[in-house]
Amino acid sequence: FFLMIRRPPRSTQSRSSAASDVYKRQIQQIKDQKKSIEYSIVVPAYNEEERLPIMLNETLDFFDGLKQSYEIIVVNDASKDKTIDVAFKKFEQKSSKGEFKVVDYPINKGKGGAVRMGMIIASGNYVLMADADGATKISDFSKLISCLLYTSPSPRDRQKSRMPSSA
């Protein structure tokens, strides 16, 4: 299952006037650290100790073959197994062009909460959500982005429709 969002240009306006000042400061700190990244892959994970390494290997291999920059964000949703350790270990082992973020929730917020947090801290122009179980192959991403860019109302984006292609 893929969920992909094309980010609008960033604005300086606050997202919500009801959010607490502490929350706003935390989000602003994350935004200040952002770099120019083309793709963000958000991976919500709950008790995915066994399946996460396989999915991350496939994702790292695929995106390392692209010319565009990327980041992978694993959001551990209070797993009771060693999901968080597996995520850190995998990122330490794998030499990659990508950037990595791991978010660890101490209290289970559900898949929606994990996806939301990943989307908030994502730096990419395009944000992709991929399940840790690998139900959808990450290589199908090429088809998705080609279709998305081809149907884009912007001629500039349509010119990009020839990419990405894996090496």
Side-chain angles (χ1 to χ4, degrees):
F1 166 60
F2 288 132
L3 170 68
M4 187 162 174
I5 298 172
R6 169 74 168 148
R7 286 197 185 269
R10 302 211 188 268
S11 71
T12 57
Q13 289 183 323
S14 171
R15 287 183 182 241
S16 169
S17 58
S20 70
D21 289 337
V22 174
Y23 181 75
K24 287 180 183 179
R25 279 196 303 270
Q26 289 173 344
I27 298 299
Q28 191 57 49
Q29 287 173 349
I30 293 168
K31 285 181 179 181
D32 290 345
Q33 296 172 1
K34 290 185 178 181
K35 298 176 182 174
S36 176
I37 294 176
E38 190 65 14
Y39 303 110
S40 294
I41 304 93
V42 175
V43 183
Y46 178 74
N47 292 339
E48 297 289 353
E49 176 181 5
E50 298 294 322
R51 298 186 285 190
L52 187 62
I54 297 164
M55 183 270 185
L56 289 176
N57 279 338
E58 290 175 3
T59 302
L60 290 168
D61 290 344
F62 177 80
F63 278 95
D64 279 348
L66 301 180
K67 295 178 183 175
Q68 294 83 18
S69 58
Y70 71 93
E71 68 180 352
I72 298 175
I73 304 165
V74 175
V75 183
N76 181 42
D77 195 21
S79 295
K80 293 176 173 65
D81 64 2
K82 297 183 183 199
T83 297
I84 191 77
D85 297 331
V86 168
F88 279 121
K89 185 177 179 183
K90 183 54 62 184
F91 292 151
E92 288 172 1
Q93 287 176 346
K94 193 81 171 172
S95 62
S96 173
K97 300 186 296 188
E99 295 189 20
F100 309 105
K101 297 176 184 172
V102 179
V103 178
D104 189 16
Y105 274 141
I107 299 170
N108 186 281
K109 302 226 181 232
K111 183 176 180 178
V115 171
R116 181 178 183 274
M117 179 51 71
M119 296 286 175
I120 288 171
I121 66 172
S123 303
N125 291 321
Y126 293 93
V127 182
L128 170 72
M129 190 281 294
D131 286 326
D133 65 4
T136 303
K137 296 295 178 199
I138 200 71
S139 57
D140 290 340
F141 172 71
S142 291
K143 297 173 191 172
L144 176 68
I145 191 69
S146 292
C147 290
L148 181 71
L149 293 175
Y150 181 74
T151 60
S152 172
S154 165
R156 187 179 127 256
D157 284 345
R158 279 196 300 274
Q159 289 175 353
K160 292 182 185 178
S161 66
R162 293 175 189 86
M163 61 82 171
S165 61
S166 57

